[in-house]
Amino acid sequence: MARALPKPPKEVDLHADAFLQDIDRYEADELLAESLERLRESLDAAIYWSYPQIRFIHGRGKGILRKAVYEELAHYRDSGAIVRYHPAYHNEDIVVVVIGL
């Protein structure tokens, strides 16, 4: 029997302090890797559950997380797993990922 992925929230905060308890123990590159893993897990689950879209909060800061998120989403788009992605109209700190039409 196949294991079902848990349903993700419709909006996912990718800031490490939102989902890790001990962020002081991580280096910056490890925090980025954890955030990207959270994006992949949530997006894969949203695709599995046929969500029409999902939103990811990447914030402003220096733009490192935003750039990495957009690069990862480009791979998903190029593979045909998602339709498109764009900044939220009311808040550019959030990216809206359109999974299906």
Side-chain angles (χ1 to χ4, degrees), residues 46-60:
I47 292 167
Y48 174 84
W49 285 101
S50 301
Y51 281 20
Q53 70 178 23
I54 187 169
R55 300 159 50 93
F56 293 100
I57 302 169
H58 53 67
R60 249 175 230 174

Side-chain angles (χ1 to χ4, degrees), residues 2-99:
R3 188 176 132 204
L5 295 172
K7 279 190 171 184
K10 305 236 185 225
E11 186 170 275
V12 179
D13 191 343
L14 297 177
H15 294 99
D17 60 350
F19 61 90
L20 293 175
Q21 299 298 319
D22 53 353
I23 63 169
D24 296 336
R25 297 179 61 209
Y26 292 84
E27 296 292 326
D29 60 329
E30 294 172 318
L31 291 172
L32 180 61
E34 291 288 336
S35 293
L36 290 177
E37 183 59 29
R38 183 163 174 87
L39 174 129
R40 288 183 203 106
E41 289 173 356
S42 300
L43 184 51
D44 290 345
I47 292 167
Y48 174 84
W49 285 101
S50 301
Y51 281 20
Q53 70 178 23
I54 187 169
R55 300 159 50 93
F56 293 100
I57 302 169
H58 53 67
R60 249 175 230 174
K62 297 177 183 176
I64 295 168
L65 179 57
R66 178 183 60 237
K67 182 179 182 225
V69 164
Y70 276 69
E71 287 174 0
E72 187 68 25
L73 292 175
H75 293 295
Y76 274 85
R77 183 199 57 217
D78 294 346
S79 72
I82 64 173
V83 176
R84 68 182 177 279
Y85 54 93
H86 59 83
Y89 299 117
H90 68 286
N91 187 344
E92 291 185 5
D93 298 345
I94 299 172
V95 60
V96 178
V97 179
V98 178
I99 297 168

